[in-house]
C-alpha cells in the first residue's frame, strides 16, 4: 500500500480482521471467537488513540 491509496476501513477500526488474518497462522480453534476478540481489542486501541488526540 502506498500513501496515495485510499484506505477502506469502517469507523472504529485500526486494523481490520481480514488484514490481520493474513499475518496469523491458520486458526485451529474457534475462528469466530478469535475474530470477536481481535475486533474488541482493536476497537479499544481506536478509542485510546482518539482519547489521546482529544485530550491534548
Amino acid at each position: 500500500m502506498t500513501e496515495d491509496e485510499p484506505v477502506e476501513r469502517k469507523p472504529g477500526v485500526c486494523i481490520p480482521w481480514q488484514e490481520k488474518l493474513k499475518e496469523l497462522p491458520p486458526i485451529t480453534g474457534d475462528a469466530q471467537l478469535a475474530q470477536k476478540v481481535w475486533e474488541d481489542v482493536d476497537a479499544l486501541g481506536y478509542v485510546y488513540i482518539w482519547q489521546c488526540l482529544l485530550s491534548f
Side-chain angles (χ1 to χ4, degrees):
M1 181 184 330
T2 64
E3 291 181 23
D4 297 332
E5 292 180 31
V7 178
E8 297 293 328
R9 292 190 175 128
K10 295 180 182 178
V13 175
C14 293
I15 302 173
W17 171 247
Q18 294 304 322
E19 191 175 313
K20 184 64 177 176
L21 193 56
K22 294 175 188 175
E23 302 172 9
L24 300 174
I27 298 174
T28 57
D30 187 357
Q32 289 180 340
L33 179 61
Q35 180 178 355
K36 180 175 179 355
V37 169
W38 173 255
E39 289 173 348
D40 290 347
V41 169
D42 186 66
L44 289 173
Y46 185 86
V47 169
Y48 176 75
I49 291 168
W50 271 106
Q51 182 62 40
C52 287
L53 287 172
L54 295 174
S55 293
F56 300 105

